[in-house]
Amino acid sequence: MKESAERDSRNFLFYYYLNLVKEYSPKAFVFENVPGILTARKGEVFLKIKEEFEKIGYTLLSGTTNIDKNNVIDFGEFGVVQKRKRVILFGFKKELNLSYPNFHSDRFQWSHDLNTYNILNDLPSLHPGEGSDHKLSLYTNTDIKLNEYQKYMRKDSIGVMNHKARKIQERDRKIYELSIKLAEEGNQLKYPDLPTELKTHQNEKSFLDRFKVHPFNSMPHTVVAHISKDGHYNIHPDLNQCRSLTVREAARIQGFPDNYKFEGPRTAQFVQVGNAVPPLMSRVIAKSIKKMLLK
């Protein structure tokens, strides 16, 4: 967020969480956030957060080192199938005198590459506008040999919901085709490189990465709530489908099992998925802290 983080009122939403901790007095708590929380206002915001929790009897750690800004972790290193840099703040009652959890000891270890192909290729193929937001669609690719991750996602499920593809305008379809073809060659389309007739604005410095594909042979990039506004930053890598990700595909990347149902209109569903802590990472965090507390 750069300079806008200096003015962002969301930096102070932690007061709501502070009140919850104060009310229920847990032994420990976790607090996930974007890396900017550590450096906002030159570190003053995080210093304030630590001070406020200190006042109610809690120690708050940002990671394993004493230098807070060095404690950013990538969830992709723990078995989550996307590059997702975040901060996990760990708080505990002072008298417990705990250390920061060792999340690596409980990370998921898959027997195959964590690329987009291995995550999404077993889901029903869709063209723009096809699929359903709330109707159950049975698995169609029955001849595919499922990998370990796909079996984990399919557990206790006979199909998928929230698998509806956005419609697409002709201009965007042409841009998606260009993006996918470049991604197949290991390159990314930059906005200034678009043909003039496909450009919609003159600002060619602020929107360099406006269109981005999740390449089949690479780990997916971070899925965030902005996917609710448009799908340009989350283009499906299959040229035959030529569309953006569905809610279900975004959920697969986030690590939500297929039997999760997302409620409300599609915009709200995307927000639910994009704002979530990936369930796989939640499991890693919970197991690590449980072992620590049981000791």
Side-chain angles (χ1 to χ4, degrees), residues 138-154:
L138 299 179
Y139 296 117
T140 55
N141 300 339
T142 54
D143 57 335
I144 292 179
K145 183 178 180 181
L146 300 177
N147 58 47
E148 189 179 8
Y149 186 80
Q150 291 166 346
K151 290 177 181 177
Y152 190 90
M153 291 292 103
R154 286 188 178 209

Side-chain angles (χ1 to χ4, degrees), residues 200-237:
T200 56
H201 53 78
Q202 295 181 341
N203 185 345
E204 297 192 358
K205 295 182 179 180
S206 300
F207 301 98
L208 290 178
D209 292 336
R210 186 178 184 191
F211 299 95
K212 194 168 184 178
V213 179
H214 292 273
F216 268 138
N217 59 357
S218 301
M219 178 179 280
H221 53 264
T222 310
V223 172
V224 297
H226 181 82
I227 193 174
S228 66
K229 300 184 183 300
D230 63 59
H232 300 333
Y233 199 72
N234 292 276
I235 301 172
H236 194 287

Side-chain angles (χ1 to χ4, degrees), residues 111-272:
S111 59
H112 51 80
D113 291 339
L114 298 180
N115 56 39
T116 305
Y117 182 82
N118 285 336
I119 298 163
L120 301 182
N121 81 304
D122 66 308
L123 293 174
S125 297
L126 299 174
H127 290 112
E130 292 182 344
S132 175
D133 286 314
H134 296 290
K135 182 181 177 182
L136 178 69
S137 300
L138 299 179
Y139 296 117
T140 55
N141 300 339
T142 54
D143 57 335
I144 292 179
K145 183 178 180 181
L146 300 177
N147 58 47
E148 189 179 8
Y149 186 80
Q150 291 166 346
K151 290 177 181 177
Y152 190 90
M153 291 292 103
R154 286 188 178 209
K155 186 178 179 181
D156 298 324
S157 182
I158 60 172
V160 293
M161 304 182 77
N162 312 112
H163 193 43
K164 168 81 172 179
R166 281 185 170 102
K167 294 181 180 179
I168 189 171
Q169 297 180 359
E170 182 60 22
R171 177 194 283 116
D172 289 339
R173 184 188 65 77
K174 292 178 180 178
I175 295 174
Y176 283 20
E177 287 179 350
L178 288 173
S179 300
I180 294 170
K181 289 176 181 177
L182 281 172
E184 290 174 348
E185 299 169 359
N187 299 312
Q188 183 187 343
L189 176 70
K190 300 295 185 181
Y191 190 82
D193 299 331
L194 277 175
T196 304
E197 66 272 15
L198 295 180
K199 294 179 180 178
T200 56
H201 53 78
Q202 295 181 341
N203 185 345
E204 297 192 358
K205 295 182 179 180
S206 300
F207 301 98
L208 290 178
D209 292 336
R210 186 178 184 191
F211 299 95
K212 194 168 184 178
V213 179
H214 292 273
F216 268 138
N217 59 357
S218 301
M219 178 179 280
H221 53 264
T222 310
V223 172
V224 297
H226 181 82
I227 193 174
S228 66
K229 300 184 183 300
D230 63 59
H232 300 333
Y233 199 72
N234 292 276
I235 301 172
H236 194 287
D238 185 358
L239 187 60
N240 292 325
Q241 298 185 58
C242 195
R243 57 174 176 79
S244 59
L245 296 183
T246 66
V247 171
R248 178 52 52 196
E249 289 162 340
R252 267 285 183 95
I253 293 172
Q254 277 282 62
F256 282 97
D258 290 352
N259 61 10
Y260 271 63
K261 177 186 177 184
F262 300 95
E263 297 285 359
R266 199 179 322 140
T267 299
Q269 295 170 28
F270 273 126
V271 170
Q272 291 164 44

